[in-house]
Amino acid sequence: SGTRLDPLRLAGGSATTPAARGGSAGAVAALILVAAGVAGSRAAAAERLRAGAARVDVTPLELPVLVNGGMTSRSLDRVASPLHARALVLESAGRRVAIVIVDSCMLARPFLDEVKRLAAARTGIAPADMLVAATHTHSAPAAMGCLGTDADPAYVPFLRERIGEAIDRAAAALEPAEIGCARADAAEYTALRQWIRRPDRVVDDPFGNRTVRANMHAAANPDDVTSEAGPEDPELGMISLRAVGGRPIAVLATFSMHYFGAADLSADYFGLFCADLERRLAPPGSAGHDSAVVLLAHGCSGDIWRVDYAVPKERRPDPTIADYAAGLAAIAAGACAGVEHRGDVTLAMEERRLAMEYRRPDRQRLEWAERIVAGRGGRPPATQEEVYAREQVILHGLPPAEVVVQALRVGDVAIATTPCETYAVTGLKIKAASPLERTLVIELANGGDGYIPPPEQHALGGYNTWPARSAGLEVEAEPRICEAAIGLLERVCAAPRRAPAPPAGAAAARILGAGPVALWRLDDPQGPHAADASPHGHDAVYEPGITFWLEGPAGIAPPGAVNRACCFAGGRLRARRPGLGTRYSVAAWVWNGLPDGARDVAGWIVSRSPDHGLAPDGDHVGLLGAGDRAGRRVYLHGTGGPVAGATPLDRWTWHHVVFVRDGATARVFLDGRLEIEAPVPPTSGPPPEALFLGGRSDRADGWEGRIDEAAVFDRPLDEGEIRRILGR
């Protein structure tokens, strides 16, 4: 329902100073001109842009090579597609910056620091003005150790030299240039791979504990899951550079899709996309690859893959890797066609290095790990248990991490980076807060520091949270890195972050027009506070076990905006409403994730009773889950018998539910129609002050699914008012 962000302040770390640096197949929205504007941090007034680009082959000369990206070590000896380091150098007002995208799974920060130091000696570009990122192909030589695979000792020095060569060649190719920006919706090419498991289908982690409430590809069996764990980011963003005469120089694109997969050494879809788009951009009669260099950077894809598990298997597309890359390149080419370019731009770049701790093993886990490592007798780890045992020993001995975050501004386009495998919601938060509306986010840049799930995702467990070099940073790493990126964007743009009000379309306006005492739009990108959109300021609290910014019901946000909702997976929304009395109403949109038969009560939506208990005058509205009344709404007063409705509701569909307490009568409306009407026996004593959404007061049978646009009224709503709220 919006992009409101809580005000955040920059986390600790040291910014790089000048002295320290030295002397969609979908709808296309395009075209933000990169024009002269307010100068960014340490940037001169807008001046003429120069750009140069180069590609250097980094395919190993000696085979076989070790390849990481899997749980255990493997080696490959055949090449399916060449690997490249693709470099872009920009210059304005004497300032030069370099961007390099390398066909590699991950690149370690110490390795990249050495690459930048050597390249700086050859080109004069300051190391802090170099952005080097991995595409995250899982079929490239291992340039760093990860899980069961060590870095390939012969390949690392070869790659270091070739990346430096790419920067050198791009700098040597500088020429007067113009720049423009485009973006497209490529939603059918990306989807969530991280799904929340049913509470009765939780599985074990490698340490023998039943903690895996969410995991990658858990929805391969849709009966096992309730919902995606977060949102996707379908934007294919592009920066286009051309020579003054119109000849293409380069396109820098970002897209959030993890990888496709290949059996042999391969640049994966990243390299195929680049080659395809280069051919499409080539002038007629050219050699096809001589006119432009295309760089495809990895967007925020830690919880993303190409398969949409929400679509039944028999209806899902099953493209080849070539078809997938070609389809995405066609969208990019369409978006780039007709882009207007400008040559007078400002250029600014900042870097921040944050010290972070690892989640190290306690003594008991370390002793467990050391026994397993000793029992291997020196052979490589062959099982998941052995891999994670070795990782505990490694984490125990590691010094604190140094995490690099950067921001870059070129005219009216901004780029932010993270050195981690970053969830899509994090990239969306950075984009939403950036001072510039056109912002790209590149992950696995300037380091390979593993997954950084948002803190609320840590509570759900899963592979992306298991402590290892691939996911070992502190629980608060995501908000710290996110805030550092936003703070750097403020500096390079010389402008404050955006904190827009949620896009209140006609639906939200109708709710507010009805006079609620609280409206929780549940569009918050993070917890713990649920902002009240009404004038009354009655914020609520998100408990652990809730994720944010998933897609909400259609028609709530204005055209062109995405309506956001939160997903409940064990937590509740907790509020206190003293003085509400016995005449009140609660309205919300709800979406059930549990299949029929999962349990007797699928979940409770609204509950008014003291925490941990059931008051005699408590009100509870939920959904039955089993038997011949599965999918029916149910009302429960105190500890009495439940009263069920007659209309069954399908799983994974949005419905509007209103509970009305009118003194001695309780009513439940479903999609604007009266579903339940029941007498309420008289009770003594004041009504409970505590109000919960997404779970019952005694914590029984929490809601497993999404809730959106929850409103509380201090009066009973009648059917006419409810229909007017729904616009009917």
Side-chain angles (χ1 to χ4, degrees):
S1 307
T3 51
R4 180 179 56 249
L5 288 172
D6 292 335
L8 301 172
R9 296 278 31 103
L10 194 62
S14 58
T16 305
T17 64
R21 289 199 327 273
S24 305
V28 175
L31 287 232
I32 294 301
L33 301 180
V34 180
V38 178
S41 173
R42 299 187 285 109
E47 291 196 13
R48 195 73 195 180
L49 177 71
R50 297 207 305 157
R55 75 180 69 79
V56 171
D57 196 309
V58 297
T59 310
L61 302 178
E62 299 180 7
L63 299 174
V65 288
L66 292 173
V67 173
N68 60 12
M71 187 64 64
T72 56
S73 185
R74 61 178 177 143
S75 61
L76 296 177
D77 59 3
R78 295 194 304 178
V79 177
S81 65
L83 311 173
H84 289 93
R86 299 167 184 266
L88 173 64
V89 172
L90 304 174
E91 181 184 69
S92 179
R95 180 78 178 275
R96 286 189 295 167
V97 302
I99 300 171
V100 190
I101 308 300
V102 185
D103 289 326
S104 182
C105 185
M106 291 187 293
L107 301 167
R109 193 267 310 159
F111 167 79
L112 290 176
D113 282 351
E114 178 67 7
V115 167
K116 294 175 185 180
R117 185 186 67 80
L118 295 173
R122 294 163 63 168
T123 66
I125 302 173
D129 287 341
M130 298 180 187
L131 185 169
V132 186
T135 60
H136 203 51
T137 170
H138 278 218
S139 47
M144 65 172 281
C146 181
L147 295 176
T149 307
D150 295 327
D152 189 288
Y155 184 71
V156 170
F158 169 80
L159 182 63
R160 179 170 53 234
E161 174 62 25
R162 291 298 176 94
I163 296 174
E165 180 185 343
I167 298 172
D168 196 9
R169 287 174 51 184
L174 282 166
E175 61 178 312
E178 298 172 331
I179 187 170
C181 179
R183 60 182 180 179
D185 180 358
E188 65 186 79
Y189 288 81
T190 186
L192 260 290
R193 65 173 185 162
Q194 187 81 356
W195 281 66
I196 299 170
R197 300 183 67 88
R198 287 166 41 172
D200 59 335
R201 300 283 174 93
V202 178
V203 296
D204 290 351
D205 61 29
F207 315 109
N209 301 312
R210 188 140 293 188
T211 64
V212 181
R213 186 70 208 277
N215 210 6
M216 301 182 303
H217 312 299
N221 178 3
D223 194 50
D224 285 343
V225 296
T226 62
S227 171
E228 297 101 327
E232 65 185 42
D233 182 357
E235 182 179 87
L236 175 60
M238 287 154 286
I239 295 174
S240 171
L241 292 136
R242 70 180 189 185
V244 174
R247 172 177 47 83
I249 294 174
V251 171
L252 170 63
T254 62
F255 188 57
S256 295
M257 203 290 278
H258 209 73
Y259 69 100
F260 194 98
D264 298 313
L265 285 170
S266 167
D268 206 276
Y269 84 92
F270 312 99
L272 297 180
F273 169 94
C274 293
D276 191 302
L277 187 55
E278 286 169 354
R279 287 191 291 270
R280 294 173 187 267
L281 296 175
S286 72
H289 288 282
D290 297 334
S291 61
V293 176
V294 174
L295 305 83
L296 179 58
H298 210 218
C300 296
S301 308
D303 55 346
I304 300 296
W305 201 41
R306 61 184 175 86
V307 174
D308 187 354
Y309 290 111
V311 176
K313 187 174 182 180
E314 61 274 11
R315 301 212 311 264
R316 290 179 207 151
D318 188 22
T320 65
I321 187 172
D323 289 342
Y324 179 91
L328 195 63
I331 296 174
C336 288
V339 169
E340 296 184 39
H341 293 71
R342 289 283 295 271
D344 298 326
V345 303
T346 55
L347 186 64
M349 190 167 182
E350 291 272 1
E351 177 179 288
R352 181 172 291 271
R353 295 188 174 226
L354 305 175
M356 288 197 180
E357 257 300 344
Y358 290 102
R359 288 175 288 123
R360 305 179 191 276
D362 58 22
R363 179 172 296 181
Q364 181 179 18
R365 180 171 290 180
L366 181 61
E367 291 175 352
W368 165 85
E370 288 173 337
R371 287 195 302 270
I372 293 174
V373 170
R376 288 200 340 256
R379 63 171 173 78
T383 67
Q384 187 180 84
E385 182 184 59
E386 290 179 349
V387 166
Y388 277 91
R390 185 175 86 145
E391 288 295 316
Q392 303 319 294
V393 175
I394 293 172
L395 285 179
H396 175 70
L398 284 179
E402 184 178 64
V403 170
V404 179
V405 184
Q406 291 177 332
L408 167 65
R409 177 193 178 189
V410 189
D412 287 344
V413 183
I415 298 172
T417 73
T418 87
C420 304
E421 296 193 64
T422 309
Y423 281 33
V425 68
T426 304
L428 291 170
K429 287 188 286 189
I430 294 171
K431 291 181 184 182
S434 172
L436 296 184
E437 198 271 335
R438 296 296 181 263
T439 298
L440 310 180
V441 183
I442 298 175
E443 73 169 25
L444 289 173
N446 311 302
D449 293 302
Y451 288 98
I452 49 165
E456 66 271 10
Q457 296 280 351
H458 276 274
L460 303 179
Y463 164 79
N464 298 356
T465 70
W466 297 340
R469 288 171 294 173
S470 59
L473 292 178
E474 60 191 59
V475 170
E476 295 297 317
E478 186 267 354
R480 290 189 62 195
I481 291 172
C482 184
E483 173 56 23
I486 296 168
L488 289 173
L489 287 168
E490 290 180 306
R491 291 171 63 88
V492 298
C493 298
R497 69 191 65 197
R498 290 179 295 153
R510 288 193 299 268
I511 300 174
L512 288 170
V517 295
L519 170 58
W520 302 300
R521 302 204 59 203
L522 305 184
D523 57 1
D524 308 276
Q526 56 206 14
H529 299 292
D532 179 10
S534 83
H536 306 294
H538 296 308
D539 289 0
V541 175
Y542 294 109
E543 295 179 340
I546 297 174
T547 65
F548 304 100
W549 262 27
L550 287 87
E551 186 174 344
I556 301 297
V562 178
N563 180 40
R564 302 291 183 185
C566 61
C567 187
F568 290 74
R572 305 171 302 182
L573 185 74
R574 188 174 69 247
R576 294 185 67 81
R577 290 302 302 123
L580 201 56
T582 61
R583 293 172 56 81
Y584 69 98
S585 305
V586 181
W589 286 91
V590 299
W591 182 97
N592 169 47
L594 279 179
D596 288 348
R599 61 190 186 195
D600 290 342
V601 177
W604 295 97
I605 303 165
V606 177
S607 181
R608 189 182 180 200
S609 195
D611 199 5
H612 301 288
L614 292 175
D617 197 30
D619 293 317
H620 316 278
V621 178
L623 180 71
L624 295 175
D628 57 4
R629 297 189 298 175
R632 273 74 167 175
R633 293 297 182 265
V634 62
Y635 167 68
L636 175 68
H637 180 72
T639 58
V643 180
T647 306
L649 303 183
D650 292 334
R651 181 191 189 198
W652 293 345
T653 59
W654 283 101
H655 295 277
H656 191 253
V657 173
V658 181
F659 170 67
V660 177
R661 175 77 186 273
D662 189 1
T665 304
R667 300 182 182 92
V668 178
F669 291 83
L670 174 64
D671 297 328
R673 301 182 306 274
L674 182 63
E675 178 77 6
I676 297 173
E677 185 167 30
V680 178
T683 56
S684 59
E689 295 183 356
L691 179 68
F692 302 93
L693 290 171
R696 207 167 70 175
S697 56
D698 61 351
R699 300 179 182 264
D701 298 325
W703 186 250
E704 295 290 332
R706 306 178 197 176
I707 301 180
D708 195 23
E709 309 297 327
V712 180
F713 299 85
D714 59 0
R715 68 183 192 281
L717 297 178
D718 61 35
E719 187 167 340
E721 288 180 291
I722 294 169
R723 288 183 173 272
R724 285 193 292 274
I725 288 172
L726 292 173
R728 299 175 182 173

